[in-house]
C-alpha cells in the first residue's frame, strides 16, 4: 500500500486522544505531585517511608494490575462507581475520563519522585534565612522553594507527559479500546498489530518514536542547563 493511500485510511483520532490525555493528566499530576512531595517532606521519617511507598507503587506494579484495581474501584457494580455515576453522572469505565485517570495513576510517581528529589536538594539555610526575615510559609514556598526546584519539577512534568501519552495497560483495562473515544496511540498499535495491519501499526510506532525523541531531547536540554546542589532535608 502506498504511503499516501495508507494515510487516507488512517483515523488520526488516537493521536488527538493521546495528546488530550497527556495534557490533562500532566496538569493534574503536576499539582498532585508537587503537593504530595511537599507534604511528604514535612512528616516523620517513618510516615515518610509509608507514604513514599504508596505514592511510588504504581511505578513498580504491572500497569495491568493498576488497571484492574482502578476497574474494581470505578466499576458501576462497585459502591464508588455507583455513587459517581448515579449521583454525579461521572463514569470512568470505557470513557475518555478513564484514559485520564489511568494515565494519571501510572505517571504520577514520575512527577512525585522528581519533585521530591528537587525539594531535597534545596539549601535549607536559604529557607531558614527567609523565615528569619519574616516571610510566611506560603511565600517561602512560591518565592523560594518553587524557583529553586524548578528544574526538577520541569523534568518531572516532561516525563509525566511522556508516560501519559504512551500508557497502555491500565488504559486498556479501565477505558477499553474504542476508536474515536478511548483508543490512544498505544492501543492503536496493539490493535493494528493483532489484526495483521503492520503498515498502520508501523506508522503509529514511527509517530510515537518521533514524539518520544522530541521529549527526550527537551529533557536533556533542561538537565544540561541546571545544576542544583544544597543540603538535604532532614
Amino acid at each position: 500500500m502506498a504511503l499516501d493511500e495508507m494515510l487516507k485510511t488512517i483515523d488520526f483520532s488516537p493521536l488527538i486522544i493521546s495528546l488530550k490525555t497527556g495534557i490533562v493528566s500532566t496538569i493534574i499530576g503536576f499539582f498532585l505531585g508537587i503537593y504530595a512531595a511537599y507534604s511528604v517532606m514535612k512528616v516523620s521519617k517513618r510516615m515518610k517511608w509509608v507514604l513514599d511507598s504508596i505514592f511510588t507503587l504504581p511505578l513498580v506494579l504491572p500497569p495491568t494490575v493498576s488497571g484492574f484495581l482502578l476497574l474494581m474501584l470505578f466499576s458501576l457494580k462497585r459502591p464508588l462507581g455507583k455513587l459517581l455515576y448515579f449521583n454525579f453522572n461521572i463514569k470512568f469505565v470505557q470513557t475518555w475520563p478513564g484514559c485520564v485517570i489511568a494515565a494519571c495513576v501510572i505517571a504520577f510517581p514520575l512527577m512525585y519522585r522528581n519533585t521530591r528529589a528537587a525539594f531535597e536538594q534545596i539549601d535549607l539555610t536559604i529557607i531558614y534565612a527567609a523565615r528569619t526575615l519574616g516571610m510566611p510559609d506560603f511565600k517561602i514556598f512560591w518565592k523560594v522553594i518553587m524557583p529553586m526546584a524548578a528544574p526538577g519539577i520541569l523534568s518531572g512534568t516532561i516525563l509525566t507527559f511522556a508516560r501519559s501519552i504512551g500508557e497502555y495497560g491500565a488504559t486498556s483495562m479501565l477505558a477499553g479500546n474504542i476508536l474515536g473515544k478511548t483508543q490512544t496511540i498505544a492501543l492503536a498499535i496493539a490493535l493494528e498489530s493483532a489484526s495483521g495491519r503492520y503498515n498502520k501499526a508501523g506508522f503509529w510506532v514511527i509517530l510515537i518514536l518521533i514524539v518520544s525523541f522530541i521529549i527526550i531531547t527537551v529533557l536533556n536540554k533542561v538537565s544540561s542547563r541546571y545544576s542544583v546542589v544544597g543540603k538535604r532535608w532532614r
Side-chain angles (χ1 to χ4, degrees), residues 141-152:
F141 178 77
W142 289 109
K143 302 282 188 180
V144 178
I145 295 177
M146 285 296 287
M148 295 184 68

Side-chain angles (χ1 to χ4, degrees), residues 12 27 33 36 46 80 126 136 165 179 184-185 193 201 206 208 227:
F12 283 89
I27 292 172
R46 182 173 298 179
L80 181 59
I126 298 177
I165 64 173
L179 181 62
T184 61
I185 291 179
S193 299
I206 292 172
I208 199 67
S227 177

Side-chain angles (χ1 to χ4, degrees), residues 166-179:
E167 211 298 301
Y168 171 76
T171 303
S172 62
M173 293 287 291
L174 181 64
N177 191 353
I178 306 171
L179 181 62

Side-chain angles (χ1 to χ4, degrees), residues 44-140:
S44 65
K45 184 177 290 187
R46 182 173 298 179
M47 182 59 66
K48 184 182 296 185
W49 290 344
V50 173
L51 292 176
D52 187 69
S53 298
I54 294 173
F55 293 151
T56 309
L57 197 58
L59 191 63
V60 296
L61 283 176
T64 49
V65 174
S66 299
F68 176 80
L69 294 175
L70 289 172
L71 183 61
M72 292 298 99
L73 183 65
F74 293 114
S75 170
L76 295 183
K77 295 181 180 180
R78 304 291 173 176
L80 181 59
K82 287 181 179 179
L83 175 67
L84 291 174
Y85 182 68
F86 292 107
N87 291 277
F88 303 100
N89 197 29
I90 299 174
K91 183 182 178 184
F92 292 108
V93 179
Q94 295 188 338
T95 63
W96 178 72
C99 295
V100 175
I101 291 295
C104 279
V105 170
I106 298 301
F108 169 80
L110 295 172
M111 186 68 205
Y112 162 73
R113 294 201 69 84
N114 276 272
T115 303
R116 181 184 164 185
F119 286 162
E120 288 176 338
Q121 296 301 316
I122 294 175
D123 191 340
L124 292 181
T125 57
I126 298 177
I127 297 176
Y128 298 152
R131 286 176 179 165
T132 302
L133 293 172
M135 288 183 67
D137 286 343
F138 76 91
K139 275 194 175 182
I140 293 175

